[in-house]
Amino acid sequence: MSKNIVIACLFLLICSCQKKSDNIIDISGVVSDKLSPLPIGQVDVLLEIKPFGGATFSNSFEELEVTQTNLSGEYNLSFQNSNAVEYRITYSKLGCFSEQELINPDQLSLEDINFINATMYSSSYLVLNVVNSSPYNNNDELVLNTSLESSSIGSCFNTIVTLLGANVDTTISCQIYGNQTVDFEYIVTKDNFTTAYSDAVYCEPGDTIYKVINY
């Protein structure tokens, strides 16, 4: 093999081991459920940039890249390095609560892949029907307390509910974080006798769960 051929082969080998561009930023990560280690597939991943132009700062973000996680919750972003004040990644999916991550450009490496993982709360709707199915009189009382592994903001299951009367047929419905078990503890008083009960229901992510409590 001639000397020129050897040199050409070495050149090609060196070039093949380099990144396609020294000015490209690569971000990879995994999106998973906050209440379990399960990955979340088909999450829309939006990368935005707040650019720095000359001597001025921009107060708004501009879309830079869009991708989606695979079935293993993995995503990859590659983009041209530029003057930026800040980057923002938004993770969104129907049936989940969106999440955002703000990134300082100084923390991103050009030489290595930047790993940025994220977690999201999935969403469920819980419809609870409480019925006094064997009334004694109008002094019947039920005190209901619900316990969530992770309470959703504004959830109607965050408070203790007291129901009085013989003709109780009440429905409580609201959005909560999915992939969790909701525990019910309720105390029933009828004819001056008090009895404590407990029950539970698992809230499947992205689903509406119906639960009936008869007392």
Side-chain angles (χ1 to χ4, degrees), residues 51-67:
F52 173 73
T56 62
F57 290 90
S58 173
N59 289 321
S60 60
F61 284 93
E62 301 174 2
E63 181 178 317
L64 190 59
E65 290 287 337
V66 178
T67 189

Side-chain angles (χ1 to χ4, degrees), residues 37-195:
L38 297 175
I40 305 178
Q42 298 181 318
V43 175
D44 293 321
V45 183
L46 169 65
L47 173 66
E48 297 173 291
I49 181 175
K50 184 183 290 186
F52 173 73
T56 62
F57 290 90
S58 173
N59 289 321
S60 60
F61 284 93
E62 301 174 2
E63 181 178 317
L64 190 59
E65 290 287 337
V66 178
T67 189
Q68 194 176 70
T69 62
N70 60 21
L71 294 180
S72 299
E74 301 167 340
Y75 75 94
N76 298 284
L77 295 165
S78 293
F79 55 97
Q80 191 77 24
N81 183 34
S82 59
N83 290 331
V85 178
E86 197 171 34
Y87 292 103
R88 181 173 69 185
I89 300 180
T90 302
Y91 307 91
S92 58
K93 180 181 179 178
L94 184 65
C96 292
F97 292 86
S98 298
E99 294 286 341
Q100 285 188 335
E101 178 81 21
L102 295 176
I103 305 168
N104 186 334
D106 295 334
Q107 297 176 339
L108 296 176
S109 170
L110 285 169
E111 291 77 23
D112 304 307
I113 296 176
N114 301 273
F115 292 98
I116 300 177
N117 297 325
T119 56
M120 304 175 67
Y121 282 113
S122 58
S123 171
S124 294
Y125 281 89
L126 178 57
V127 180
L128 177 64
N129 184 214
V130 184
V131 181
N132 188 352
S133 56
S134 56
Y136 181 76
N137 58 32
N138 285 331
N139 292 322
D140 293 351
E141 180 184 74
L142 177 139
V143 179
L144 173 67
N145 183 29
T146 55
S147 176
L148 288 75
E149 294 175 42
S150 185
S151 299
S152 308
I153 297 175
S155 172
C156 54
F157 293 105
N158 288 336
T159 59
I160 296 175
V161 176
T162 300
L163 301 173
L164 293 171
N167 300 313
V168 171
D169 188 347
T170 300
T171 298
I172 305 171
S173 174
C174 66
Q175 186 180 29
I176 64 171
Y177 295 146
N179 202 22
Q180 66 171 315
T181 299
V182 178
D183 296 313
F184 303 102
E185 295 180 353
Y186 53 103
I187 299 173
V188 176
T189 301
K190 292 182 180 181
D191 192 22
N192 294 321
F193 290 96
T194 299
T195 308

Side-chain angles (χ1 to χ4, degrees), residues 1-11:
M1 184 180 292
S2 68
K3 181 178 180 182
N4 289 337
I5 294 176
V6 173
I7 293 174
C9 290
L10 289 174
F11 177 77

Side-chain angles (χ1 to χ4, degrees), residues 199-215:
D199 204 345
V201 62
Y202 175 71
C203 295
E204 189 75 28
D207 200 0
T208 299
I209 292 83
Y210 297 90
K211 177 67 178 177
V212 178
I213 292 180
N214 291 304
Y215 68 96

